[in-house]
Amino acid sequence: MAAGNARIVRYIVFAAFFLGVLYFISNNQGYRIQSDLYNVGKTQPVTQPLEKEQPILNSGSGLASSEPLDTGAKLGGTSSDGVKIGGDGIGKSGSTVPGSGISNSESDSTKGSTRPPPGTPKQQTDLGEAAMAMTPNDHGWNDMLGTAPGPRMNATFVTLARNSDVWEIARSIRQVEDRFNRRYNYDWVFLNDKPFDETFKKVTTSLVSGKTHYGEIPHEHWSFPEHIDQEKAKKVREDMAQRKIIYGDSISYRHMCRFESGFFFRQELMMNYEWYWRVEPSIELFCDIHYDPFRYMAEHKKKYSFVLSLYEYVETIPTLWDSVKKFMKNYPEHIAEGNSMGFLSDDGGETYNKCHFWSNFEVGNLEWLRSKPYIDFFESLDQDGGFFYERWGDAPVHSIAAGLLLPKEDIHFFNDIAYYHVPFTHCPTGEQTRIDLRCHCNPKENFDWKGYSCTSRYFDLNKLDKPQGYEEQE
Ligand SMILES: Nc1nc2c(ncn2[C@@H]2O[C@H](COP(=O)(O)OP(=O)(O)OP(=O)(O)O)[C@@H](O)[C@H]2O)c(=O)[nH]1
Ligand SMILES: [Mg+2]
């Protein structure tokens, strides 16, 4: 009996050992399969319907290529012997596609990175020829996976940020990349009144598909100008603190507003570009952007654009309009014919109705901001001291400038760029638009047609048809 029991125990031990070996082998294989898949996915997401259009566009390098990084390098243009020759073929940012083995940043943070490009290697040799798909009926509308065809503008994203903003700006970049820039690879300029730290550079460079640049703002662009009476400015801050005016007691917020009003566009790094798209920390983009807004601006001769507009908090700008009127009197030659005074004033310019475009989102033309009319405008306002004796924001400053110095047709409303910056949302009006653009915003949160928005005024002034369904959102 004892011997029988021992035999049974031996069988059980043997069976357990055998099962253990089987389990180990199968698990091990599973791991290898997973890791292979992962590699493939990194190069080329397996779900993409790529083969359809690849053969002609891909210089013969199809999806099945066993040289994924090579394929990525070809985004920058490849000579016949396979040597990388840079990205002239697809514009400035095309030369910097990650995965080409070349660092995509001025910082050291991506050196040695073998990360594949964010878009698939679908690449057209005739990038400059392609028309933009603006509606679902246009050719190429659904080509949202590869690098976008078409020329690139001389454009950059621009963000003013502190090192402590890194995770908030990381969220914004991720959204901008996912919804737009992974297909376009535009550059990104980061500006700061202090040196950026390594974490900031590393994290942001890893997220941006174009080149990243980091600039430190010169002291004279982030300090009190000599003509400011420090005592007077201090009293204002104390008074605003007592009255609980948002950021009313902050010195740095005032430097920020003055910098955004008068200096960001003439930073050394920004001088390399003609177009900018401003991005702030913690914003959201809710819809796919199927076309290049920079190119849209250029082709339609726009100079300034917005997605949200509203009334300014009057306590922050009590004498701004007086200052503007002084400028108009001193520089009548700068006031554009057919301007948007009707957006800014309800009485022909006597008083300001506080309407402004919300400048935490802007796509605009840097040459315009660097032009004499704009510089004269900024300097005239700056002399009056309201950035420090009050708390003038860059939003009303930019908006009044755009409203007076530009013909009204130069200002564009991007209905199809769905956007959030606390606490307002622009969610495109019209269900079909939201479906076509694969939006994830709640239309009920759209601010455009609510009483505190000025967007209706913009539509009325420009005699534009409001999108279908706007009445239901008022
Ligand atoms: N380098 C630097 N950037 C700043 C400073 N203050 C604000 N910023 C940046 O300037 C932009 C505007 O500042 P915000 O604090 O977002 O101002 P806001 O949008 O009016 O207010 P919020 O509702 O807080 O977003 C953001 O991109 C900030 O990261 C500062 O002191 N230094
Ligand atoms: Mg902000």
Side-chain angles (χ1 to χ4, degrees):
M1 200 54 186
N5 276 349
R7 201 165 48 239
I8 288 166
V9 169
R10 258 204 314 279
Y11 286 153
I12 289 170
V13 169
F14 184 73
F17 175 72
F18 183 69
L19 284 173
V21 169
L22 264 184
Y23 177 75
F24 177 78
I25 290 169
S26 67
N27 244 16
N28 218 18
Q29 273 174 350
Y31 174 73
R32 262 208 303 277
I33 287 162
Q34 282 293 334
S35 101
D36 286 352
L37 262 182
Y38 178 64
N39 273 338
V40 171
K42 264 166 82 179
T43 314
Q44 197 79 85
V46 284
T47 50
Q48 292 169 8
L50 284 161
E51 267 87 358
K52 267 199 298 185
E53 294 169 359
Q54 287 295 316
I56 333 160
L57 307 175
N58 230 358
S59 321
S61 169
L63 177 61
S65 165
S66 59
E67 294 168 23
L69 290 177
D70 231 358
T71 317
K74 281 173 187 150
L75 286 169
T78 312
S79 69
S80 55
D81 59 1
V83 177
K84 191 172 185 304
I85 54 168
D88 291 342
I90 56 168
K92 200 167 175 305
S93 50
S95 61
T96 59
V97 174
S100 61
I102 294 171
S103 168
N104 75 337
S105 168
E106 291 195 336
S107 87
D108 282 338
S109 44
T110 55
K111 279 204 177 117
S113 164
T114 53
R115 189 166 59 110
T120 63
K122 187 165 79 175
Q123 186 62 37
Q124 301 203 358
T125 47
D126 60 343
L127 281 169
E129 303 294 314
M132 284 195 288
M134 302 295 295
T135 75
N137 300 326
D138 296 339
H139 177 74
W141 174 263
N142 272 320
D143 292 350
M144 290 299 282
L145 297 175
T147 298
R152 297 294 185 267
M153 301 299 103
N154 184 14
T156 184
F157 290 93
V158 60
T159 294
L160 173 68
R162 295 154 288 214
N163 286 311
S164 57
D165 292 320
V166 60
W167 300 113
E168 285 72 29
I169 196 61
R171 283 175 48 198
S172 302
I173 297 170
R174 189 68 256 175
Q175 303 232 0
V176 171
E177 287 290 333
D178 288 350
R179 290 299 197 168
F180 170 69
N181 202 42
R182 67 187 168 81
R183 300 177 57 230
Y184 289 86
N185 313 134
Y186 278 110
D187 295 358
W188 206 306
V189 170
F190 296 91
L191 301 171
N192 190 352
D193 57 307
K194 309 234 161 44
F196 279 112
D197 63 29
E198 278 311 305
T199 303
F200 190 99
K201 289 197 262 191
K202 213 187 294 178
V203 170
T204 51
T205 293
S206 76
L207 292 169
V208 175
S209 61
K211 253 191 183 176
T212 49
H213 301 280
Y214 301 88
E216 192 177 337
I217 298 163
H219 178 71
E220 61 271 25
H221 295 170
W222 195 280
S223 51
F224 292 92
E226 264 179 21
H227 65 272
I228 294 297
D229 176 343
Q230 291 287 342
E231 271 310 302
K232 184 174 163 185
K234 188 164 167 239
K235 285 210 177 77
V236 169
R237 292 196 301 275
E238 286 163 1
D239 173 58
M240 284 197 175
Q242 279 204 331
R243 291 193 287 140
K244 302 214 173 342
I245 292 171
I246 185 167
Y247 298 117
D249 60 343
S250 170
I251 296 179
S252 65
Y253 194 85
R254 285 182 170 80
H255 288 321
M256 181 275 285
C257 291
R258 180 169 175 263
F259 174 80
E260 292 287 21
S261 298
F263 299 106
F264 86 89
F265 47 84
R266 28 183 173 161
Q267 297 303 291
E268 208 181 325
L269 289 169
M270 296 301 288
M271 297 305 286
N272 297 322
Y273 301 96
E274 188 189 352
W275 300 95
Y276 73 101
W277 179 333
R278 175 168 164 184
V279 177
E280 282 206 2
S282 294
I283 59 108
E284 291 192 57
L285 289 185
F286 297 110
C287 307
D288 283 345
I289 299 173
H290 285 251
Y291 62 90
D292 180 350
F294 293 123
R295 187 172 162 202
Y296 180 90
M297 297 282 289
E299 287 182 358
H300 293 83
K301 305 204 181 332
K302 306 287 182 186
K303 297 279 187 285
Y304 190 79
S305 66
F306 71 102
V307 287
L308 282 159
S309 71
L310 68 159
Y311 294 93
E312 180 58 305
Y313 185 21
V314 65
E315 300 296 333
T316 65
I317 51 157
T319 69
L320 175 60
W321 195 251
D322 294 337
S323 198
V324 170
K325 285 206 284 191
K326 192 162 107 190
F327 165 79
M328 287 196 280
K329 197 159 157 261
N330 290 341
Y331 295 93
E333 71 276 20
H334 289 340
I335 307 304
E337 240 176 77
N339 58 44
S340 305
M341 180 62 98
F343 177 77
L344 303 168
S345 173
D346 301 341
D347 51 19
E350 195 45 40
T351 58
Y352 179 34
N353 62 20
K354 322 291 183 304
C355 275
H356 64 286
F357 308 118
W358 219 21
S359 62
N360 47 65
F361 169 97
E362 288 175 329
V363 180
N365 184 279
L366 292 160
E367 304 293 355
W368 169 59
L369 292 173
R370 293 190 280 250
S371 71
K372 183 160 167 47
Y374 186 86
I375 297 293
D376 284 344
F377 176 75
F378 169 72
E379 284 177 357
S380 174
L381 263 50
D382 197 33
Q383 275 304 316
D384 291 341
F387 290 107
F388 300 101
Y389 299 147
E390 297 178 2
R391 207 222 63 196
W392 295 352
D394 52 282
V397 171
H398 285 187
S399 305
I400 293 170
L404 299 181
L405 309 180
L406 297 173
K408 61 180 188 311
E409 296 74 26
D410 290 9
I411 304 175
H412 181 63
F413 170 62
F414 276 112
N415 184 46
D416 37 15
I417 300 185
Y419 176 82
Y420 171 80
H421 175 296
V422 65
F424 299 117
T425 298
H426 163 65
C427 184
T429 310
E431 188 179 31
Q432 194 53 50
T433 304
R434 292 191 300 273
I435 287 172
D436 290 340
L437 302 177
R438 298 188 180 95
C439 303
H440 71 278
C441 52
N442 179 349
K444 286 197 186 125
E445 285 165 14
N446 182 28
F447 184 65
D448 296 356
W449 317 113
K450 305 264 193 278
Y452 208 63
S453 165
C454 293
T455 300
S456 248
R457 284 175 188 267
Y458 169 85
F459 271 73
D460 294 342
L461 177 72
N462 289 282
K463 299 192 172 50
L464 299 172
D465 292 331
K466 292 179 187 151
Q468 220 181 2
Y470 83 94
E471 301 95 331
E472 290 138 43
Q473 296 188 346
E474 282 178 319

